[in-house]
Amino acid sequence: MIRLGVLGCGDVAFRTYLPGLAALRGRVAVSACTDPIAPRAAQFAEEVGALLGEPCAVYPTLDDMLKAPGLDGVLNLSPAPYHFDTTSKILNAGLNCYSEKPIAGTLEEARALMRLADDRGVMLLCAPATMASSRFRWLKEQIDSGLIGRPTLITAQQANMGPALWREYKGDPAVFYTEKVGPTLDTGVYPLHGMTGLLGPATSVSAVGGIVNPERISTIPERYGERIAVTGNDLMLIHLTWGGPDGPAFGQLFSSFSTPRTTQPVFEIHGERGSISIADIPTWYDLSRPVDLLLLNPSRDGKYETWVKAGPDDIGPVTQPIQSGPLHFVDVLAGREQPILSAAHATHVLEIIRGAEQSARQGGAPVMLEGF
Ligand SMILES: NC(=O)c1ccc[n+]([C@@H]2O[C@H](COP(=O)([O-])OP(=O)(O)OC[C@H]3O[C@@H](n4cnc5c(N)ncnc54)[C@H](O)[C@@H]3O)[C@@H](O)[C@H]2O)c1
C-alpha cells in the first residue's frame, strides 16, 4: 500500500485526480490532505476516504501534513505560482513529490528543485503526464520502431478561449490570463512535453505572440459576467528545431486562450513514410479514442495513401491523460516501473516556454536551448 498526501483540494483534485485514484483502490491510500481553504480539504478527505476505503486525515497547513506518519509521497495540486515554495517544503521534508505543472516559475527555481531532490535522496516527478499516457507510450513505441520512418515534423495546437469560458471550471480563472500562467504554460505544456518526449530535447525556439483580446467576460455559471483583464500574452505561435546526425526536424505549436475553437488536430507527427494524427474533436482527453495513422504505399499499385484507426490494445486503468501522472508516480514508488515524467524533462519544457516568450519579445529571433 502506497500512502500519499495531497496538497491543494481544488478543481483538478476533485474533477480529475479523484476519479483517477479510483483505479488504484487497494494499492493506494490518500492518508493526509490539506488546503488553505479548510472546508475543501474536509470534503476531499471525506470523498477520497470513501472512494479508496482508507481514512484520510485533514491537516491545517502543509507544514503540519508533512509531519504525518508513514507518507511515501505527496501530490502537489496547488496553483502554479506556489509550486516552487510548496515542492521545496515537500522535498525538504524527505518526501517524494509529484507536482502538477509547471515544475516552477523560473528555470533557476526548477534546477534548484532538481538539486534539492538529489540532495535529499527523494524523487521529484512532474506533470504534464503526456509521455506516461497509454497513447503516447504507444506512439513512442511506433516512432522508435520506425513505423512512419524518421520523424521530420510535429504540429500541435492547444487553442480555445481559456478557463473563463470553461463552464465546468470551479477554480478562479483570472490568474490564467496573467504573465504568471498564460496559454503555453497552462495547456501548451501538453504537446511540448509530447514533442520533446518523442524527438528528444529541442535545439532552438522562436515565437511571435501578444495580447489579442485584452478582456474576457466569464461564462462560468458561478462567475457569469465577471470581467477579467488579460495582462499576459493570450496568443503564441511557436516554432522549434531539432538537429541530429540523421537530419533536422521541426515543430510548430499554436497556443492560445484567445481563439474560439479550431478543428486542427491537437497533435500530428509526420515521418518519411507516414503520419499519425490525434483529433481534438470531440476531445483528445479520452484515451480510449484511437488515433489516425496514414502509411504511404510505396508500390506501383493500389491507393497511394490510406488512413486507418490505430492505438494501443490496452489503455490501462485510466482513460484521461492527466490521470496517467499519479498512476505513474504510484507505479514508480511501488517499483513497478522506471520514472518517465522526470523533473529534467519538465525543466526543458519550461525552458522552451520561457525561451518562446523571450523570442516573442525580440520580434521572433531564435533562442538556443540547453536541453536535458
Ligand atoms: N483544473 C484543471 O483542469 C487542471 C488540469 C491540469 C492541471 N492542473 C494544474 O493543477 C494545479 C491546480 O489547479 P486547479 O485548477 O485545481 O486550481 P484551484 O485554484 O481550483 O485549486 C488549487 C487549490 O490549492 C489550494 N492551495 C494549496 N496550497 C496553496 C497555497 N500555498 N496557496 C494558495 N492556494 C493553495 C487552493 O486553496 C485551492 O483549493 C495547477 O498547477 C494547474 O496547472 C489543473
Side-chain angles (χ1 to χ4, degrees):
M1 186 68 83
I2 301 290
R3 298 200 171 272
L4 299 179
V6 169
L7 166 65
C9 306
D11 185 74
V12 83
F14 281 99
R15 271 199 310 129
T16 311
Y17 276 68
L18 206 51
L21 286 167
L24 293 168
R25 192 182 159 95
R27 292 184 54 206
V28 163
V30 173
S31 44
C33 72
T34 185
D35 193 295
I37 302 172
R40 290 188 181 176
Q43 190 189 341
F44 187 80
E46 194 182 315
E47 291 189 25
V48 80
L51 185 84
L52 297 176
E54 295 282 337
C56 176
V58 177
Y59 290 83
T61 67
L62 173 61
D63 292 330
D64 294 314
M65 185 179 83
L66 294 175
K67 292 180 200 137
L71 289 182
D72 296 300
V74 174
L75 304 177
N76 186 352
L77 313 183
S78 64
Y82 304 102
H83 287 178
F84 175 67
D85 287 345
T86 51
T87 298
S88 296
K89 282 189 178 187
I90 294 163
L91 300 174
N92 259 321
L95 287 168
N96 301 298
C97 179
Y98 178 73
S99 168
E100 253 306 335
K101 44 77 179 171
I103 178 171
T106 66
L107 280 178
E108 293 69 31
E109 287 175 350
R111 289 175 183 140
L113 289 177
M114 286 166 58
R115 281 195 300 275
L116 181 57
D118 278 352
D119 289 349
R120 302 303 311 231
V122 292
M123 183 175 65
L124 171 60
L125 299 186
C126 297
T130 310
M131 291 309 297
S133 71
S134 52
R135 184 182 284 147
F136 271 78
R137 287 175 195 245
W138 174 86
L139 208 47
K140 184 158 173 30
E141 274 170 28
Q142 306 312 313
I143 303 303
D144 291 351
S145 74
L147 178 70
I148 60 168
R150 184 175 65 80
T152 52
L153 170 67
I154 296 179
T155 56
Q157 62 84 8
Q158 280 287 305
N160 52 63
M161 294 300 278
L165 277 78
W166 300 343
R167 286 191 169 69
E168 67 284 8
Y169 188 66
K170 299 280 181 256
D172 180 356
V175 70
F176 292 85
Y177 298 95
T178 67
E179 277 189 334
K180 282 195 172 154
V181 188
T184 315
L185 200 69
D186 188 52
T187 51
V189 292
Y190 294 104
L192 289 175
H193 191 263
M195 289 178 178
T196 46
L198 295 176
L199 299 187
T203 315
S204 73
V205 60
S206 55
V208 292
I211 299 174
V212 296
N213 282 314
E215 188 181 68
R216 244 13 123 259
I217 300 177
S218 176
T219 53
I220 299 172
E222 296 83 8
R223 295 176 180 269
Y224 192 78
E226 270 183 23
R227 290 174 179 273
I228 297 169
V230 178
T231 55
N233 287 359
D234 58 359
L235 173 67
M236 292 289 283
L237 301 171
I238 299 173
H239 284 134
L240 292 163
T241 67
W242 283 263
D246 302 333
F250 298 93
Q252 183 187 58
L253 171 64
F254 160 30
S255 169
S256 173
F257 276 164
S258 55
T259 307
R261 202 74 159 98
T262 170
T263 56
Q264 280 183 28
V266 79
F267 195 95
E268 280 193 340
I269 181 161
H270 306 278
E272 295 160 305
R273 53 176 177 272
S275 300
I276 298 175
S277 183
I278 303 172
D280 190 17
I281 296 174
T283 171
W284 68 275
Y285 267 66
D286 180 358
L287 293 173
S288 68
R289 296 184 66 79
V291 305
D292 294 296
L293 164 69
L294 175 145
L295 292 178
L296 295 176
N297 176 1
S299 71
R300 194 188 299 266
D301 308 314
K303 276 174 87 177
Y304 167 66
E305 37 148 82
T306 311
W307 285 103
V308 294
K309 299 288 178 196
D313 295 332
D314 178 9
I315 66 160
V318 299
T319 56
Q320 215 268 23
I322 295 171
Q323 295 168 346
S324 310
L327 175 69
H328 172 62
F329 183 55
V330 167
D331 280 340
V332 175
L333 287 177
R336 286 164 66 138
E337 63 181 19
Q338 291 297 311
I340 297 173
L341 305 176
S342 71
H345 190 177
T347 302
H348 179 55
V349 171
L350 183 64
E351 184 192 17
I352 293 172
I353 294 168
R354 295 303 183 222
E357 290 161 355
Q358 184 189 334
S359 171
R361 282 194 299 274
Q362 297 168 353
V367 172
M368 299 310 288
L369 300 167
E370 288 182 24
F372 67 103

